[in-house]
Amino acid sequence: MSSPTPHQVHPPTLQQAQLNRDKHVKYWLRCLKSPLPHHYISSDSNRMSIAFFIYSALDLLGALESSVSASERQDHIDWIYHCQLPEGAFRAFPGSDFGKLRNDQNKKWDPPNLPATFFALQTLAVLKDDLRRLNTRGILEWLPKLQRDDGSFGQMVMNNIIEGGHDSRFGYMVAGVRWMLRGNKEGPLAGIPDVDIDQFERCIQLSQTYDGGISEAPFHEAHAGFEFCAISALSLFGRLPGSVTTSTTPMPKTAALTQLDEIVHWLVSRQTATLDEEDEFDTNSDETDTPKTCHDSHSFVKLSSFPSKMGEIAYASRPTSNFELQWLGFNGRCNKIADTCYAWWVCGTLSILNKQQLVDIKASRKYLLDKTQHMIGGFGKMPGDPPDVYHSYLGLAVLSLHGESELKDFDPALCITKDAKRHLESLSSRQAIIDGTTDSLPPLSNSSSQETQGSTASTASSTPGYIAEKYSHLSITGG
């Protein structure tokens, strides 16, 4: 039996991988305008985040204004403001809204929620809202209340207790909300105290690991997601050194990040050829393709030093081995399988540090488009998985950072398009807050604070079934 030709052995070249834009647009429009599959029922209380993924994905694809009418976009803006609480921040979905029955006794079951507030503001930016109905003072007064003595942030306050994890995720969201409303200007503003950024930096510093990563807490395992949140938060707080925006000069140390070079090394080391569970097995039964050997072309990628010359010689009689490493994904922790979302967490962080050129972008792009891009549109978590809104959005986001021509330019720290970011920066009300105009954040009276939920709130409370009927297209399984 003759040996297979190189054309038979190797799949199509890197240049043939394509983004199926039209199918992605159809996928996201199905998510927007029809009930989501039953698998999303457990995420019903996270509708605000799901709405963000859908609208921001359509914006990233350049299809938002052409595929969603102005009235539909206004409907969703109204829906977001209906989820704004009198205190200023947002709830995650309408299911916790007591309406006219809300009082001092039951409002603890409908508390302001940090992730919901973060996603609400992002979505309003994507939908080009002017934020005039936003209770900006209430939100900015609430943010410092989420910070603990150790510098970490929680996601809500219930019974005077800060609830939620101590990791960098909530610090990132606080930094994002703060930047969207008042930029990165530090210190009290219009009588509103600022969060303690120095203490948050110390919290990040304690979470750095021996190998250059950042973990959820001291002495825990490094994780790409926590690393992204920490670096992005420092960027939005204005605490990353200015020279990290250059790719040739060494990065100076900061109060929070004492080992920036090690952080970059750890991130670059997350690129892997272990793309699915089969890649973890010794398929040749001779230990030449397991993590225990130096010949392993499945477990890791170590820049130009891999594969070694001895590795190529050992595989000379095995034509099925592919040393071109055409597909390379990213894992979030050492010795794990690649995952679509970790391509974002790693490359997004490297992009903020302007070090994305250190990874193999072509092979990463090919992995996403050949392996996890789904035939109906969207991206799955791993090869063969069905698409979901989370991985589908982050798959598009990292492709934009890779320079995909059919996608808008993307801001990695805010995780929205640069168009949406420019809209925020263009708002005169936001600029007035940054400039310190004395009347830019007037105290709210009890009556005016009730009005911040927007006209839809009063309409909904006076018209039975209004919200359920008007916003049914934002439902999960019709609920």
Side-chain angles (χ1 to χ4, degrees), residues 350-386:
L350 288 171
S351 181
I352 293 171
L353 298 172
N354 201 27
K355 299 294 180 181
Q356 191 184 179
Q357 75 277 4
L358 296 178
V359 298
D360 191 333
I361 292 176
K362 288 184 178 180
S364 170
R365 177 180 180 273
K366 187 168 175 62
Y367 162 71
L368 292 168
L369 296 178
D370 283 354
K371 297 290 188 179
T372 67
Q373 180 178 225
H374 201 275
M375 66 177 66
I376 67 168
F379 291 85
K381 174 184 173 69
M382 294 179 181
D385 287 350

PDB file of all heavy atoms in Angstrom, residues 350-386:
ATOM      1  N   LEU A 350      -3.229  39.718  26.207  1.00  0.00           N
ATOM      2  CA  LEU A 350      -2.021  40.052  25.453  1.00  0.00           C
ATOM      3  C   LEU A 350      -2.227  41.301  24.596  1.00  0.00           C
ATOM      4  O   LEU A 350      -1.318  42.110  24.422  1.00  0.00           O
ATOM      5  CB  LEU A 350      -1.606  38.874  24.574  1.00  0.00           C
ATOM      6  CG  LEU A 350      -1.016  37.665  25.298  1.00  0.00           C
ATOM      7  CD1 LEU A 350      -0.849  36.499  24.335  1.00  0.00           C
ATOM      8  CD2 LEU A 350       0.323  38.016  25.951  1.00  0.00           C
ATOM      9  N   SER A 351      -3.437  41.474  24.062  1.00  0.00           N
ATOM     10  CA  SER A 351      -3.726  42.651  23.249  1.00  0.00           C
ATOM     11  C   SER A 351      -3.657  43.924  24.086  1.00  0.00           C
ATOM     12  O   SER A 351      -3.138  44.952  23.633  1.00  0.00           O
ATOM     13  CB  SER A 351      -5.106  42.507  22.596  1.00  0.00           C
ATOM     14  OG  SER A 351      -5.404  43.612  21.784  1.00  0.00           O
ATOM     15  N   ILE A 352      -4.169  43.876  25.312  1.00  0.00           N
ATOM     16  CA  ILE A 352      -4.089  45.038  26.201  1.00  0.00           C
ATOM     17  C   ILE A 352      -2.629  45.390  26.481  1.00  0.00           C
ATOM     18  O   ILE A 352      -2.255  46.561  26.530  1.00  0.00           O
ATOM     19  CB  ILE A 352      -4.843  44.754  27.515  1.00  0.00           C
ATOM     20  CG1 ILE A 352      -6.349  44.639  27.249  1.00  0.00           C
ATOM     21  CG2 ILE A 352      -4.580  45.845  28.553  1.00  0.00           C
ATOM     22  CD1 ILE A 352      -7.150  44.149  28.428  1.00  0.00           C
ATOM     23  N   LEU A 353      -1.804  44.354  26.626  1.00  0.00           N
ATOM     24  CA  LEU A 353      -0.373  44.550  26.871  1.00  0.00           C
ATOM     25  C   LEU A 353       0.417  44.753  25.582  1.00  0.00           C
ATOM     26  O   LEU A 353       1.631  44.913  25.618  1.00  0.00           O
ATOM     27  CB  LEU A 353       0.185  43.345  27.627  1.00  0.00           C
ATOM     28  CG  LEU A 353      -0.418  43.076  29.015  1.00  0.00           C
ATOM     29  CD1 LEU A 353       0.084  41.751  29.562  1.00  0.00           C
ATOM     30  CD2 LEU A 353      -0.094  44.217  29.967  1.00  0.00           C
ATOM     31  N   ASN A 354      -0.288  44.719  24.451  1.00  0.00           N
ATOM     32  CA  ASN A 354       0.318  44.860  23.130  1.00  0.00           C
ATOM     33  C   ASN A 354       1.399  43.804  22.882  1.00  0.00           C
ATOM     34  O   ASN A 354       2.469  44.079  22.344  1.00  0.00           O
ATOM     35  CB  ASN A 354       0.912  46.255  22.931  1.00  0.00           C
ATOM     36  CG  ASN A 354       1.075  46.608  21.454  1.00  0.00           C
ATOM     37  OD1 ASN A 354       0.353  46.102  20.604  1.00  0.00           O
ATOM     38  ND2 ASN A 354       2.038  47.454  21.155  1.00  0.00           N
ATOM     39  N   LYS A 355       1.096  42.571  23.250  1.00  0.00           N
ATOM     40  CA  LYS A 355       2.028  41.468  23.070  1.00  0.00           C
ATOM     41  C   LYS A 355       1.387  40.315  22.295  1.00  0.00           C
ATOM     42  O   LYS A 355       1.896  39.197  22.326  1.00  0.00           O
ATOM     43  CB  LYS A 355       2.499  40.952  24.436  1.00  0.00           C
ATOM     44  CG  LYS A 355       3.233  41.992  25.270  1.00  0.00           C
ATOM     45  CD  LYS A 355       4.555  42.393  24.648  1.00  0.00           C
ATOM     46  CE  LYS A 355       5.278  43.434  25.483  1.00  0.00           C
ATOM     47  NZ  LYS A 355       6.562  43.839  24.876  1.00  0.00           N
ATOM     48  N   GLN A 356       0.291  40.573  21.594  1.00  0.00           N
ATOM     49  CA  GLN A 356      -0.399  39.494  20.906  1.00  0.00           C
ATOM     50  C   GLN A 356       0.448  38.893  19.780  1.00  0.00           C
ATOM     51  O   GLN A 356       0.246  37.744  19.379  1.00  0.00           O
ATOM     52  CB  GLN A 356      -1.744  39.986  20.339  1.00  0.00           C
ATOM     53  CG  GLN A 356      -2.632  38.866  19.856  1.00  0.00           C
ATOM     54  CD  GLN A 356      -3.918  39.334  19.217  1.00  0.00           C
ATOM     55  OE1 GLN A 356      -4.713  38.520  18.759  1.00  0.00           O
ATOM     56  NE2 GLN A 356      -4.168  40.631  19.161  1.00  0.00           N
ATOM     57  N   GLN A 357       1.424  39.644  19.295  1.00  0.00           N
ATOM     58  CA  GLN A 357       2.259  39.149  18.208  1.00  0.00           C
ATOM     59  C   GLN A 357       3.138  37.973  18.638  1.00  0.00           C
ATOM     60  O   GLN A 357       3.743  37.303  17.793  1.00  0.00           O
ATOM     61  CB  GLN A 357       3.133  40.284  17.658  1.00  0.00           C
ATOM     62  CG  GLN A 357       4.305  40.688  18.530  1.00  0.00           C
ATOM     63  CD  GLN A 357       3.919  41.654  19.629  1.00  0.00           C
ATOM     64  OE1 GLN A 357       2.745  41.986  19.800  1.00  0.00           O
ATOM     65  NE2 GLN A 357       4.902  42.137  20.377  1.00  0.00           N
ATOM     66  N   LEU A 358       3.204  37.688  19.930  1.00  0.00           N
ATOM     67  CA  LEU A 358       4.049  36.605  20.421  1.00  0.00           C
ATOM     68  C   LEU A 358       3.410  35.227  20.248  1.00  0.00           C
ATOM     69  O   LEU A 358       4.090  34.216  20.428  1.00  0.00           O
ATOM     70  CB  LEU A 358       4.389  36.831  21.899  1.00  0.00           C
ATOM     71  CG  LEU A 358       5.226  38.072  22.210  1.00  0.00           C
ATOM     72  CD1 LEU A 358       5.463  38.206  23.701  1.00  0.00           C
ATOM     73  CD2 LEU A 358       6.544  38.049  21.457  1.00  0.00           C
ATOM     74  N   VAL A 359       2.122  35.160  19.930  1.00  0.00           N
ATOM     75  CA  VAL A 359       1.465  33.875  19.717  1.00  0.00           C
ATOM     76  C   VAL A 359       1.237  33.669  18.222  1.00  0.00           C
ATOM     77  O   VAL A 359       1.343  34.597  17.425  1.00  0.00           O
ATOM     78  CB  VAL A 359       0.128  33.779  20.479  1.00  0.00           C
ATOM     79  CG1 VAL A 359       0.353  33.879  21.976  1.00  0.00           C
ATOM     80  CG2 VAL A 359      -0.859  34.845  20.011  1.00  0.00           C
ATOM     81  N   ASP A 360       0.925  32.435  17.841  1.00  0.00           N
ATOM     82  CA  ASP A 360       0.676  32.095  16.442  1.00  0.00           C
ATOM     83  C   ASP A 360      -0.775  32.435  16.097  1.00  0.00           C
ATOM     84  O   ASP A 360      -1.689  31.645  16.334  1.00  0.00           O
ATOM     85  CB  ASP A 360       0.959  30.608  16.213  1.00  0.00           C
ATOM     86  CG  ASP A 360       0.988  30.240  14.735  1.00  0.00           C
ATOM     87  OD1 ASP A 360       0.314  30.930  13.944  1.00  0.00           O
ATOM     88  OD2 ASP A 360       1.655  29.252  14.376  1.00  0.00           O
ATOM     89  N   ILE A 361      -0.973  33.612  15.546  1.00  0.00           N
ATOM     90  CA  ILE A 361      -2.324  34.100  15.261  1.00  0.00           C
ATOM     91  C   ILE A 361      -2.973  33.306  14.134  1.00  0.00           C
ATOM     92  O   ILE A 361      -4.160  32.990  14.183  1.00  0.00           O
ATOM     93  CB  ILE A 361      -2.287  35.609  14.937  1.00  0.00           C
ATOM     94  CG1 ILE A 361      -1.919  36.398  16.200  1.00  0.00           C
ATOM     95  CG2 ILE A 361      -3.628  36.082  14.383  1.00  0.00           C
ATOM     96  CD1 ILE A 361      -1.755  37.883  15.960  1.00  0.00           C
ATOM     97  N   LYS A 362      -2.194  32.957  13.104  1.00  0.00           N
ATOM     98  CA  LYS A 362      -2.764  32.214  11.980  1.00  0.00           C
ATOM     99  C   LYS A 362      -3.312  30.872  12.419  1.00  0.00           C
ATOM    100  O   LYS A 362      -4.418  30.462  12.031  1.00  0.00           O
ATOM    101  CB  LYS A 362      -1.710  32.029  10.887  1.00  0.00           C
ATOM    102  CG  LYS A 362      -1.381  33.295  10.122  1.00  0.00           C
ATOM    103  CD  LYS A 362      -0.404  33.009   8.992  1.00  0.00           C
ATOM    104  CE  LYS A 362      -0.102  34.257   8.178  1.00  0.00           C
ATOM    105  NZ  LYS A 362       0.854  33.967   7.079  1.00  0.00           N
ATOM    106  N   ALA A 363      -2.556  30.147  13.241  1.00  0.00           N
ATOM    107  CA  ALA A 363      -3.005  28.838  13.695  1.00  0.00           C
ATOM    108  C   ALA A 363      -4.174  28.960  14.666  1.00  0.00           C
ATOM    109  O   ALA A 363      -5.060  28.103  14.696  1.00  0.00           O
ATOM    110  CB  ALA A 363      -1.851  28.086  14.347  1.00  0.00           C
ATOM    111  N   SER A 364      -4.196  30.034  15.447  1.00  0.00           N
ATOM    112  CA  SER A 364      -5.326  30.270  16.349  1.00  0.00           C
ATOM    113  C   SER A 364      -6.589  30.553  15.542  1.00  0.00           C
ATOM    114  O   SER A 364      -7.674  30.022  15.840  1.00  0.00           O
ATOM    115  CB  SER A 364      -5.015  31.453  17.267  1.00  0.00           C
ATOM    116  OG  SER A 364      -6.161  31.852  17.997  1.00  0.00           O
ATOM    117  N   ARG A 365      -6.464  31.383  14.523  1.00  0.00           N
ATOM    118  CA  ARG A 365      -7.609  31.690  13.658  1.00  0.00           C
ATOM    119  C   ARG A 365      -8.138  30.426  12.998  1.00  0.00           C
ATOM    120  O   ARG A 365      -9.350  30.195  12.932  1.00  0.00           O
ATOM    121  CB  ARG A 365      -7.195  32.715  12.595  1.00  0.00           C
ATOM    122  CG  ARG A 365      -8.275  33.053  11.585  1.00  0.00           C
ATOM    123  CD  ARG A 365      -7.773  34.073  10.566  1.00  0.00           C
ATOM    124  NE  ARG A 365      -8.813  34.397   9.607  1.00  0.00           N
ATOM    125  CZ  ARG A 365      -9.044  33.717   8.482  1.00  0.00           C
ATOM    126  NH1 ARG A 365      -8.278  32.662   8.202  1.00  0.00           N
ATOM    127  NH2 ARG A 365     -10.009  34.079   7.658  1.00  0.00           N
ATOM    128  N   LYS A 366      -7.239  29.584  12.524  1.00  0.00           N
ATOM    129  CA  LYS A 366      -7.653  28.360  11.841  1.00  0.00           C
ATOM    130  C   LYS A 366      -8.346  27.402  12.814  1.00  0.00           C
ATOM    131  O   LYS A 366      -9.317  26.727  12.453  1.00  0.00           O
ATOM    132  CB  LYS A 366      -6.446  27.681  11.189  1.00  0.00           C
ATOM    133  CG  LYS A 366      -6.820  26.480  10.320  1.00  0.00           C
ATOM    134  CD  LYS A 366      -5.653  26.027   9.485  1.00  0.00           C
ATOM    135  CE  LYS A 366      -5.991  24.761   8.700  1.00  0.00           C
ATOM    136  NZ  LYS A 366      -7.095  24.968   7.753  1.00  0.00           N
ATOM    137  N   TYR A 367      -7.854  27.335  14.037  1.00  0.00           N
ATOM    138  CA  TYR A 367      -8.521  26.501  15.050  1.00  0.00           C
ATOM    139  C   TYR A 367      -9.963  26.956  15.267  1.00  0.00           C
ATOM    140  O   TYR A 367     -10.898  26.143  15.276  1.00  0.00           O
ATOM    141  CB  TYR A 367      -7.739  26.564  16.364  1.00  0.00           C
ATOM    142  CG  TYR A 367      -8.526  26.115  17.569  1.00  0.00           C
ATOM    143  CD1 TYR A 367      -8.859  24.779  17.758  1.00  0.00           C
ATOM    144  CD2 TYR A 367      -8.958  27.045  18.517  1.00  0.00           C
ATOM    145  CE1 TYR A 367      -9.580  24.380  18.863  1.00  0.00           C
ATOM    146  CE2 TYR A 367      -9.687  26.656  19.624  1.00  0.00           C
ATOM    147  CZ  TYR A 367     -10.000  25.312  19.800  1.00  0.00           C
ATOM    148  OH  TYR A 367     -10.724  24.917  20.889  1.00  0.00           O
ATOM    149  N   LEU A 368     -10.149  28.257  15.426  1.00  0.00           N
ATOM    150  CA  LEU A 368     -11.496  28.771  15.684  1.00  0.00           C
ATOM    151  C   LEU A 368     -12.428  28.532  14.487  1.00  0.00           C
ATOM    152  O   LEU A 368     -13.578  28.116  14.653  1.00  0.00           O
ATOM    153  CB  LEU A 368     -11.432  30.260  16.011  1.00  0.00           C
ATOM    154  CG  LEU A 368     -10.758  30.633  17.334  1.00  0.00           C
ATOM    155  CD1 LEU A 368     -10.505  32.133  17.390  1.00  0.00           C
ATOM    156  CD2 LEU A 368     -11.602  30.183  18.513  1.00  0.00           C
ATOM    157  N   LEU A 369     -11.937  28.798  13.281  1.00  0.00           N
ATOM    158  CA  LEU A 369     -12.799  28.723  12.105  1.00  0.00           C
ATOM    159  C   LEU A 369     -13.000  27.297  11.603  1.00  0.00           C
ATOM    160  O   LEU A 369     -14.063  26.967  11.063  1.00  0.00           O
ATOM    161  CB  LEU A 369     -12.226  29.597  10.987  1.00  0.00           C
ATOM    162  CG  LEU A 369     -12.176  31.102  11.296  1.00  0.00           C
ATOM    163  CD1 LEU A 369     -11.542  31.862  10.147  1.00  0.00           C
ATOM    164  CD2 LEU A 369     -13.573  31.644  11.592  1.00  0.00           C
ATOM    165  N   ASP A 370     -12.004  26.449  11.769  1.00  0.00           N
ATOM    166  CA  ASP A 370     -12.126  25.065  11.297  1.00  0.00           C
ATOM    167  C   ASP A 370     -12.682  24.119  12.339  1.00  0.00           C
ATOM    168  O   ASP A 370     -13.384  23.162  12.002  1.00  0.00           O
ATOM    169  CB  ASP A 370     -10.752  24.533  10.859  1.00  0.00           C
ATOM    170  CG  ASP A 370     -10.325  25.062   9.499  1.00  0.00           C
ATOM    171  OD1 ASP A 370     -11.134  25.744   8.851  1.00  0.00           O
ATOM    172  OD2 ASP A 370      -9.169  24.804   9.112  1.00  0.00           O
ATOM    173  N   LYS A 371     -12.390  24.395  13.612  1.00  0.00           N
ATOM    174  CA  LYS A 371     -12.694  23.423  14.658  1.00  0.00           C
ATOM    175  C   LYS A 371     -13.937  23.762  15.489  1.00  0.00           C
ATOM    176  O   LYS A 371     -14.741  22.890  15.793  1.00  0.00           O
ATOM    177  CB  LYS A 371     -11.489  23.275  15.594  1.00  0.00           C
ATOM    178  CG  LYS A 371     -10.231  22.727  14.927  1.00  0.00           C
ATOM    179  CD  LYS A 371     -10.394  21.269  14.556  1.00  0.00           C
ATOM    180  CE  LYS A 371      -9.069  20.671  14.080  1.00  0.00           C
ATOM    181  NZ  LYS A 371      -9.198  19.233  13.743  1.00  0.00           N
ATOM    182  N   THR A 372     -14.101  25.006  15.903  1.00  0.00           N
ATOM    183  CA  THR A 372     -15.203  25.320  16.820  1.00  0.00           C
ATOM    184  C   THR A 372     -16.287  26.177  16.180  1.00  0.00           C
ATOM    185  O   THR A 372     -17.357  26.341  16.766  1.00  0.00           O
ATOM    186  CB  THR A 372     -14.680  26.014  18.098  1.00  0.00           C
ATOM    187  OG1 THR A 372     -14.160  27.303  17.780  1.00  0.00           O
ATOM    188  CG2 THR A 372     -13.601  25.173  18.758  1.00  0.00           C
ATOM    189  N   GLN A 373     -16.039  26.767  15.007  1.00  0.00           N
ATOM    190  CA  GLN A 373     -17.110  27.464  14.287  1.00  0.00           C
ATOM    191  C   GLN A 373     -18.149  26.431  13.852  1.00  0.00           C
ATOM    192  O   GLN A 373     -17.813  25.402  13.275  1.00  0.00           O
ATOM    193  CB  GLN A 373     -16.554  28.192  13.077  1.00  0.00           C
ATOM    194  CG  GLN A 373     -17.611  28.936  12.264  1.00  0.00           C
ATOM    195  CD  GLN A 373     -17.019  29.692  11.090  1.00  0.00           C
ATOM    196  OE1 GLN A 373     -17.372  30.844  10.853  1.00  0.00           O
ATOM    197  NE2 GLN A 373     -16.116  29.073  10.348  1.00  0.00           N
ATOM    198  N   HIS A 374     -19.423  26.699  14.142  1.00  0.00           N
ATOM    199  CA  HIS A 374     -20.477  25.720  13.851  1.00  0.00           C
ATOM    200  C   HIS A 374     -21.104  25.983  12.492  1.00  0.00           C
ATOM    201  O   HIS A 374     -21.150  27.121  12.027  1.00  0.00           O
ATOM    202  CB  HIS A 374     -21.557  25.766  14.933  1.00  0.00           C
ATOM    203  CG  HIS A 374     -22.385  24.525  15.010  1.00  0.00           C
ATOM    204  ND1 HIS A 374     -23.484  24.323  14.220  1.00  0.00           N
ATOM    205  CD2 HIS A 374     -22.256  23.414  15.778  1.00  0.00           C
ATOM    206  CE1 HIS A 374     -24.026  23.140  14.498  1.00  0.00           C
ATOM    207  NE2 HIS A 374     -23.295  22.570  15.436  1.00  0.00           N
ATOM    208  N   MET A 375     -21.604  24.927  11.883  1.00  0.00           N
ATOM    209  CA  MET A 375     -22.165  25.046  10.537  1.00  0.00           C
ATOM    210  C   MET A 375     -23.410  25.932  10.488  1.00  0.00           C
ATOM    211  O   MET A 375     -23.746  26.472   9.439  1.00  0.00           O
ATOM    212  CB  MET A 375     -22.505  23.649   9.990  1.00  0.00           C
ATOM    213  CG  MET A 375     -23.612  22.932  10.723  1.00  0.00           C
ATOM    214  SD  MET A 375     -24.025  21.344   9.983  1.00  0.00           S
ATOM    215  CE  MET A 375     -22.516  20.423  10.296  1.00  0.00           C
ATOM    216  N   ILE A 376     -24.115  26.101  11.609  1.00  0.00           N
ATOM    217  CA  ILE A 376     -25.300  26.958  11.611  1.00  0.00           C
ATOM    218  C   ILE A 376     -24.968  28.382  12.062  1.00  0.00           C
ATOM    219  O   ILE A 376     -25.856  29.226  12.167  1.00  0.00           O
ATOM    220  CB  ILE A 376     -26.409  26.381  12.507  1.00  0.00           C
ATOM    221  CG1 ILE A 376     -25.999  26.414  13.978  1.00  0.00           C
ATOM    222  CG2 ILE A 376     -26.795  24.982  12.065  1.00  0.00           C
ATOM    223  CD1 ILE A 376     -27.133  26.137  14.938  1.00  0.00           C
ATOM    224  N   GLY A 377     -23.699  28.630  12.347  1.00  0.00           N
ATOM    225  CA  GLY A 377     -23.297  29.911  12.895  1.00  0.00           C
ATOM    226  C   GLY A 377     -22.983  29.771  14.375  1.00  0.00           C
ATOM    227  O   GLY A 377     -23.401  28.817  15.029  1.00  0.00           O
ATOM    228  N   GLY A 378     -22.250  30.710  14.911  1.00  0.00           N
ATOM    229  CA  GLY A 378     -21.842  30.623  16.302  1.00  0.00           C
ATOM    230  C   GLY A 378     -20.623  29.740  16.482  1.00  0.00           C
ATOM    231  O   GLY A 378     -20.114  29.138  15.532  1.00  0.00           O
ATOM    232  N   PHE A 379     -20.161  29.660  17.720  1.00  0.00           N
ATOM    233  CA  PHE A 379     -19.009  28.840  18.069  1.00  0.00           C
ATOM    234  C   PHE A 379     -19.357  27.944  19.250  1.00  0.00           C
ATOM    235  O   PHE A 379     -20.102  28.348  20.155  1.00  0.00           O
ATOM    236  CB  PHE A 379     -17.806  29.712  18.461  1.00  0.00           C
ATOM    237  CG  PHE A 379     -17.208  30.481  17.320  1.00  0.00           C
ATOM    238  CD1 PHE A 379     -17.732  31.713  16.951  1.00  0.00           C
ATOM    239  CD2 PHE A 379     -16.131  29.978  16.611  1.00  0.00           C
ATOM    240  CE1 PHE A 379     -17.191  32.437  15.900  1.00  0.00           C
ATOM    241  CE2 PHE A 379     -15.578  30.696  15.555  1.00  0.00           C
ATOM    242  CZ  PHE A 379     -16.106  31.919  15.199  1.00  0.00           C
ATOM    243  N   GLY A 380     -18.819  26.739  19.235  1.00  0.00           N
ATOM    244  CA  GLY A 380     -18.955  25.851  20.372  1.00  0.00           C
ATOM    245  C   GLY A 380     -17.781  26.005  21.314  1.00  0.00           C
ATOM    246  O   GLY A 380     -16.771  26.632  20.988  1.00  0.00           O
ATOM    247  N   LYS A 381     -17.903  25.398  22.477  1.00  0.00           N
ATOM    248  CA  LYS A 381     -16.821  25.433  23.461  1.00  0.00           C
ATOM    249  C   LYS A 381     -15.591  24.700  22.939  1.00  0.00           C
ATOM    250  O   LYS A 381     -14.469  25.188  23.036  1.00  0.00           O
ATOM    251  CB  LYS A 381     -17.309  24.794  24.762  1.00  0.00           C
ATOM    252  CG  LYS A 381     -16.266  24.603  25.853  1.00  0.00           C
ATOM    253  CD  LYS A 381     -16.877  23.877  27.042  1.00  0.00           C
ATOM    254  CE  LYS A 381     -15.841  23.510  28.091  1.00  0.00           C
ATOM    255  NZ  LYS A 381     -15.308  24.713  28.779  1.00  0.00           N
ATOM    256  N   MET A 382     -15.824  23.512  22.349  1.00  0.00           N
ATOM    257  CA  MET A 382     -14.753  22.675  21.813  1.00  0.00           C
ATOM    258  C   MET A 382     -15.203  22.103  20.477  1.00  0.00           C
ATOM    259  O   MET A 382     -16.385  22.206  20.119  1.00  0.00           O
ATOM    260  CB  MET A 382     -14.408  21.550  22.792  1.00  0.00           C
ATOM    261  CG  MET A 382     -13.800  22.017  24.094  1.00  0.00           C
ATOM    262  SD  MET A 382     -13.441  20.622  25.192  1.00  0.00           S
ATOM    263  CE  MET A 382     -12.767  21.503  26.606  1.00  0.00           C
ATOM    264  N   PRO A 383     -14.302  21.496  19.714  1.00  0.00           N
ATOM    265  CA  PRO A 383     -14.705  20.910  18.430  1.00  0.00           C
ATOM    266  C   PRO A 383     -15.869  19.938  18.585  1.00  0.00           C
ATOM    267  O   PRO A 383     -15.858  19.073  19.461  1.00  0.00           O
ATOM    268  CB  PRO A 383     -13.431  20.177  17.971  1.00  0.00           C
ATOM    269  CG  PRO A 383     -12.326  20.952  18.589  1.00  0.00           C
ATOM    270  CD  PRO A 383     -12.837  21.395  19.930  1.00  0.00           C
ATOM    271  N   GLY A 384     -16.889  20.113  17.740  1.00  0.00           N
ATOM    272  CA  GLY A 384     -18.055  19.252  17.776  1.00  0.00           C
ATOM    273  C   GLY A 384     -19.159  19.695  18.704  1.00  0.00           C
ATOM    274  O   GLY A 384     -20.268  19.159  18.659  1.00  0.00           O
ATOM    275  N   ASP A 385     -18.895  20.687  19.558  1.00  0.00           N
ATOM    276  CA  ASP A 385     -19.921  21.169  20.487  1.00  0.00           C
ATOM    277  C   ASP A 385     -20.891  22.103  19.782  1.00  0.00           C
ATOM    278  O   ASP A 385     -20.518  22.820  18.844  1.00  0.00           O
ATOM    279  CB  ASP A 385     -19.287  21.918  21.658  1.00  0.00           C
ATOM    280  CG  ASP A 385     -18.580  20.997  22.633  1.00  0.00           C
ATOM    281  OD1 ASP A 385     -18.746  19.768  22.495  1.00  0.00           O
ATOM    282  OD2 ASP A 385     -17.869  21.506  23.517  1.00  0.00           O
ATOM    283  N   PRO A 386     -22.159  22.130  20.217  1.00  0.00           N
ATOM    284  CA  PRO A 386     -23.112  23.085  19.631  1.00  0.00           C
ATOM    285  C   PRO A 386     -22.767  24.500  20.061  1.00  0.00           C
ATOM    286  O   PRO A 386     -22.104  24.716  21.090  1.00  0.00           O
ATOM    287  CB  PRO A 386     -24.455  22.635  20.237  1.00  0.00           C
ATOM    288  CG  PRO A 386     -24.085  21.975  21.524  1.00  0.00           C
ATOM    289  CD  PRO A 386     -22.772  21.298  21.270  1.00  0.00           C
TER     290      PRO A 386
END
